[in-house]
Amino acid sequence: MYLNWVLQRAYLTPLRNGLTYNGQTWTFQELNDLSLKRARQLTTLDIKQGDRIAIMGPSKPSLVIMMYACMHLQCEMVMLNRRLTQDEIAYQLEDSEAMAVLVADEDIEKLPSHTTNYLFSTIEKSTETAIDITKEWSLNQTTSIMYTSGTTGFPKGVCQTVGNHQASATASVLNIGLHADDTWLCAVPLFHISGFSILVRSLLYGNKVHLYDHFDAEAISQNIMDGEVTHMSVVAVTLERILHTLEQRNAQASPKFKMMLAGGGPVPVDYLKRAHALHLAVAQTYGMTETSSQTATLANEDAMKKIGSAGKPLFFNQIRIAEQNDNGEGEICIRGPHVTPGYIGRFAQKEATIDGWLHTGDIGYIDEDGYLFVIDRRADLIISGGENIYPAEIENVLLTHPAVKEAGVCGIDDDKWRQVPIAFVVLKEHVQVEQLQAFCQKKLAKYKLPKEIIVTDKLPRNGANKLLRRKLMN
Amino acid sequence: MYLNWVLQRAYLTPLRNGLTYNGQTWTFQELNDLSLKRARQLTTLDIKQGDRIAIMGPSKPSLVIMMYACMHLQCEMVMLNRRLTQDEIAYQLEDSEAMAVLVADEDIEKLPSHTTNYLFSTIEKSTETAIDITKEWSLNQTTSIMYTSGTTGFPKGVCQTVGNHQASATASVLNIGLHADDTWLCAVPLFHISGFSILVRSLLYGNKVHLYDHFDAEAISQNIMDGEVTHMSVVAVTLERILHTLEQRNAQASPKFKMMLAGGGPVPVDYLKRAHALHLAVAQTYGMTETSSQTATLANEDAMKKIGSAGKPLFFNQIRIAEQNDNGEGEICIRGPHVTPGYIGRFAQKEATIDGWLHTGDIGYIDEDGYLFVIDRRADLIISGGENIYPAEIENVLLTHPAVKEAGVCGIDDDKWRQVPIAFVVLKEHVQVEQLQAFCQKKLAKYKLPKEIIVTDKLPRNGANKLLRRKLMN
């Protein structure tokens, strides 16, 4: 039996600041009061305790308060990625059977037509209905659902429970430490586990979140120089932009700044060295939606000694390498209380784990000192600006075009985004590449669009006729 | 599913120091290696995984290593208080059905004769038997058993599980924060939850324990002045001795020293003010054996504002006041993952909680800001130098004397120990008070001996003939 994080935090440290955005600050008491009000307004709109609802909006306080309101109501929140197309959103809404979408006014156009929705402004103007807020939560209760694709290309809705989030946050604090004045800069999306886990940690730790609704390299670098924030979550691309800004200004991180948590794929060694020169501590992490954020993190004290490593597991977690080759490389498997119990919708019957172990599909090894090295994210995964892109998802779209017979997608290096997808197609009838690109634009989020579509005679396949994506570029 | 704390800590931070005693220091790797060796030696002596064994010794590294060895073997450790008499120990051994006592050589005389035991020196000289150490622990597995008396006077063996200890340690860190360099001075007994919880926190946090086998006010005050330690657990009596030493030396706590955790009964306001003047942060706590250490703790920022309060519950815990009178005072009830699942031995059938709530018997109230004030420890409890003494236990001993017809015990104020017990007896035949005192000495630990035994005609009783201990002094 565990406690409603929002209520408990407001009870324990009501006057501490819990959120800052654009110069305005809210205490935990204020966040609690506002989210309780919002919960009563949602109740008027017939959203009930335990309902599964979807949420979409930019990373602004209104979204944070809406999420906390849903948490008060113990709703299962389907976190919609704002960058998806209407088709992609429609899939998630249909698969999750979310009863409605709570949507920021500015995002209403992103929703498929005929979607049951409540605008934030409508909710905020609604009358309030008195309700009993449950003070106790169960560990198995689903807090959030995030969609992540797999090798099939069909996104799977991953359940993240109270117990998952809590285990993740408490294991993390045993690794990185905690001080009451810590402030976490959040410029990663709240609909991703990277962003949402910052909110969870804020509630459990009593720390302030310094929120951005977009990545503002200048302002963020200034925060880091001034020591207004102590922690930040980055991906390689955003880390580089901060490094660049600091270098341009001939500036350094404030001694008050404690640590960058770098996730979403490997960080180039060169970036780590540049960060070191700027007195900017960077901890590389390895995590995913199915593990409610970090599974392993490299301590700063080891950053230069074990360069390129994702560190050791957090205290409650285990990592092992399955089916090792002669070099000890194999599939990374994860076990611990932070691992999802499973999926919803069409994948509800799929087991997330085998004997308690999550088989990630990622390839790595553990060195003689016990440090994890991730060699390759799960087969064929493309990481572009920190977003995961699954080739199969793009291939599936291309294959629905009447002129396309076969399709294969892989990632290529890109200066700005580290990687971008590129597509190869075998045609059954003539079509202009521009037509295929326009077709994809309707079906795929912008960041997933193939940078190039190349027409070819034949795709590389193995004996079993399985597409060999790694050979597409040969 | 959780992990073997000793193994996991040694894996994560092998080179960090885990223990210091008398100028010698051990890393977590060394503690793990030594305790694994000891576990293999215990195996040779036929102590098996999951056995219930008792353990007794002074607070020295040998005891820490023996405890960690038992944890590797997932033994249930019955923690014997070294200050008990042979009769008291015999009761606990009989009640717990511990298969043997692991005893420090210097404590062998304290054991009842014919007790199955293994001297530390015998174990340390034994050959090793190879075993598989279980890496995973279950939350419901009992780590430690500590005896605590109740109103009946028969000590009850309280189970403290992996989940209890882990919830306690993680909730505490969310309150007091954490830094890799934190060092906890332990001069409280390791057989008490106050001391054992320091070991648990050390393993979970990766912090060093600075261990003392007795309370050395001079050396400890020096550690605090030098900033060699950052945290310490005290009771009112030991806090006063440190304050006195610092005052005598005209010294202050080092700025590196972070916090005293003051438990085992209320701390006088005067002490808190003196500590404040010496820049010594003191956090009052409220905890007990049944809650595996702290349930509530007053943050230092509130120390002077809410003087006399035990603070708010830790993050995973709840406190409510049952059967409140008009002033809101009533019985303190506690709920949370740190609360014991129950007892062993003759109290195995007794439910520890009612609807998940532990009814402490302590009286208190929660003020308008949500802070707990403990007015009175559980009915008639005497706290002497931080040790709990239950009047009924002393009364039971007196009543076994052939000359005693009735007995009543209560606490009186004492300059040195805060409180000491005093006994009133009604005789059925003549006996010298000195004879009664000699009788008690054989049966009761020294700290439980009544300071005075007063012969009287009649004890105060209510209509139902229940002894009114609070009226004994009238």
Side-chain angles (χ1 to χ4, degrees), chain A residues 53-284:
Chain A
I53 51 91
I55 288 198
M56 186 161 72
S59 290
K60 294 182 179 179
S62 53
L63 179 65
V64 174
I65 289 162
M66 202 62 75
M67 286 177 171
Y68 290 178
C70 290
M71 286 155 70
H72 279 310
L73 292 173
Q74 296 174 282
C75 287
E76 299 184 350
M77 296 183 279
V78 178
M79 306 291 207
L80 295 178
N81 183 334
R82 302 176 69 223
R83 304 167 74 179
L84 300 182
T85 63
Q86 291 189 350
D87 280 5
E88 291 167 320
I89 291 171
Y91 167 89
Q92 296 188 10
L93 293 177
E94 174 266 315
D95 184 68
S96 66
E97 303 181 72
M99 54 101 62
V101 183
L102 313 184
V103 60
D105 295 40
E106 61 204 278
D107 280 355
I108 183 66
E109 296 301 327
K110 297 180 196 284
L111 289 186
S113 47
H114 309 301
T115 300
T116 307
N117 71 77
Y118 299 101
L119 288 175
F120 282 8
S121 63
T122 306
I123 300 164
E124 289 159 7
K125 277 183 299 208
S126 171
T127 56
E128 300 175 40
T129 300
I131 35 163
D132 283 329
I133 296 294
T134 306
K135 195 171 171 184
E136 294 186 349
W137 289 351
S138 105
L139 281 186
N140 299 325
Q141 169 191 325
T142 295
T143 302
S144 46
I145 295 166
M146 296 185 188
Y147 274 83
T148 179
S149 293
T151 45
T152 62
F154 288 103
K156 301 192 289 284
V158 178
C159 290
Q160 298 162 334
T161 64
V162 166
N164 292 153
H165 287 299
Q166 201 158 280
S168 174
T170 50
S172 181
V173 82
L174 296 180
N175 182 47
I176 64 174
L178 175 65
H179 191 278
D181 293 334
D182 288 346
T183 298
W184 210 293
L185 194 154
C186 178
V188 283
L190 294 176
F191 55 76
H192 268 183
I193 188 57
S194 56
F196 186 68
S197 66
I198 293 175
L199 296 184
V200 174
R201 288 194 293 267
S202 165
L203 292 171
L204 266 74
Y205 302 175
N207 284 164
K208 187 171 72 173
V209 175
H210 193 108
L211 186 67
Y212 278 87
D213 60 19
H214 67 289
F215 184 79
D216 180 338
E218 291 294 326
I220 290 170
S221 300
Q222 193 67 47
N223 293 152
I224 291 169
M225 286 160 53
D226 295 344
E228 279 180 84
V229 298
T230 58
H231 295 79
M232 179 180 178
S233 300
V234 291
V235 295
V237 176
T238 49
L239 173 60
E240 202 286 328
R241 288 182 59 192
I242 291 166
L243 296 175
H244 180 75
T245 307
L246 291 176
E247 286 160 350
Q248 289 281 308
R249 296 198 194 177
N250 211 4
Q252 287 186 348
S254 160
K256 288 187 196 164
F257 186 84
K258 293 183 182 169
M259 204 193 65
M260 294 272 188
L261 207 59
V267 176
V269 172
D270 173 57
Y271 293 5
L272 297 175
K273 290 182 178 161
R274 286 164 62 196
H276 192 70
L278 296 167
H279 298 269
L280 194 62
V282 177
Q284 284 215 72

Side-chain angles (χ1 to χ4, degrees), chain B residues 40-338:
Chain B
R40 291 189 293 265
Q41 291 169 320
L42 287 169
T43 304
T44 303
L45 299 172
D46 217 25
I47 289 167
K48 286 182 288 295
Q49 191 186 39
D51 279 347
R52 183 177 294 166
I53 51 91
I55 218 171
M56 185 161 73
S59 290
K60 294 182 178 178
S62 53
L63 178 64
V64 174
I65 289 161
M66 203 62 75
M67 286 177 170
Y68 291 178
C70 291
M71 287 155 68
H72 279 311
L73 291 173
Q74 296 174 284
C75 287
E76 299 184 349
M77 295 183 280
V78 178
M79 306 290 205
L80 295 179
N81 183 333
R82 302 176 71 224
R83 304 167 73 181
L84 299 183
T85 63
Q86 291 190 350
D87 280 6
E88 291 167 322
I89 291 172
Y91 167 90
Q92 295 188 11
L93 293 177
E94 175 267 315
D95 185 68
S96 67
E97 304 182 69
M99 54 102 61
V101 183
L102 313 183
V103 59
D105 296 39
E106 63 204 276
D107 280 354
I108 182 66
E109 297 300 328
K110 296 181 198 283
L111 289 186
S113 48
H114 309 302
T115 301
T116 308
N117 72 76
Y118 300 101
L119 288 174
F120 282 9
S121 63
T122 307
I123 301 164
E124 289 160 6
K125 278 183 300 208
S126 171
T127 57
E128 300 175 40
T129 301
I131 36 164
D132 282 330
I133 295 296
T134 307
K135 195 172 171 183
E136 293 187 349
W137 289 350
S138 105
L139 280 187
N140 299 324
Q141 170 190 326
T142 294
T143 303
S144 45
I145 294 166
M146 297 185 189
Y147 274 82
T148 179
S149 292
T151 45
T152 62
F154 288 104
K156 302 193 290 283
V158 178
C159 290
Q160 298 162 333
T161 64
V162 166
N164 291 154
H165 287 298
Q166 200 158 281
S168 174
T170 50
S172 182
V173 82
L174 297 180
N175 182 47
I176 64 175
L178 175 65
H179 191 279
D181 293 333
D182 288 346
T183 298
W184 209 293
L185 194 154
C186 179
V188 283
L190 293 176
F191 55 76
H192 268 185
I193 187 58
S194 56
F196 186 68
S197 67
I198 292 174
L199 295 184
V200 173
R201 288 195 292 268
S202 165
L203 292 171
L204 266 75
Y205 302 175
N207 284 165
K208 187 170 72 173
V209 175
H210 193 108
L211 186 67
Y212 279 88
D213 60 19
H214 66 290
F215 184 79
D216 181 339
E218 291 294 326
I220 290 169
S221 300
Q222 193 66 48
N223 293 152
I224 292 169
M225 286 161 53
D226 294 345
E228 279 180 83
V229 298
T230 57
H231 294 78
M232 178 180 179
S233 300
V234 291
V235 296
V237 175
T238 48
L239 173 59
E240 203 286 329
R241 289 180 61 190
I242 292 167
L243 296 176
H244 180 74
T245 308
L246 291 176
E247 285 160 352
Q248 288 280 310
R249 296 198 195 177
N250 211 2
Q252 288 186 348
S254 160
K256 288 188 197 163
F257 186 83
K258 292 183 184 169
M259 204 192 64
M260 295 272 187
L261 207 58
V267 176
V269 171
D270 173 58
Y271 294 5
L272 298 175
K273 289 183 178 161
R274 286 165 61 195
H276 192 70
L278 296 167
H279 299 268
L280 193 62
V282 176
Q284 285 215 70
T285 75
Y286 172 63
M288 58 191 64
T289 305
E290 287 89 342
T291 63
S292 291
S293 179
Q294 314 159 66
T295 277
T297 299
L298 184 65
N300 186 49
E301 63 204 71
D302 297 330
M304 299 314 284
K305 194 173 76 191
K306 290 288 180 183
I307 215 157
S309 167
K312 291 179 179 175
L314 300 189
F315 197 86
F316 302 137
N317 314 342
Q318 294 177 78
I319 296 176
R320 70 176 173 84
I321 306 296
E323 298 177 32
Q324 298 181 19
N325 66 15
D326 292 345
N327 297 323
E329 299 163 358
E331 185 177 17
I332 301 170
C333 298
I334 299 169
R335 185 169 162 90
H338 66 318

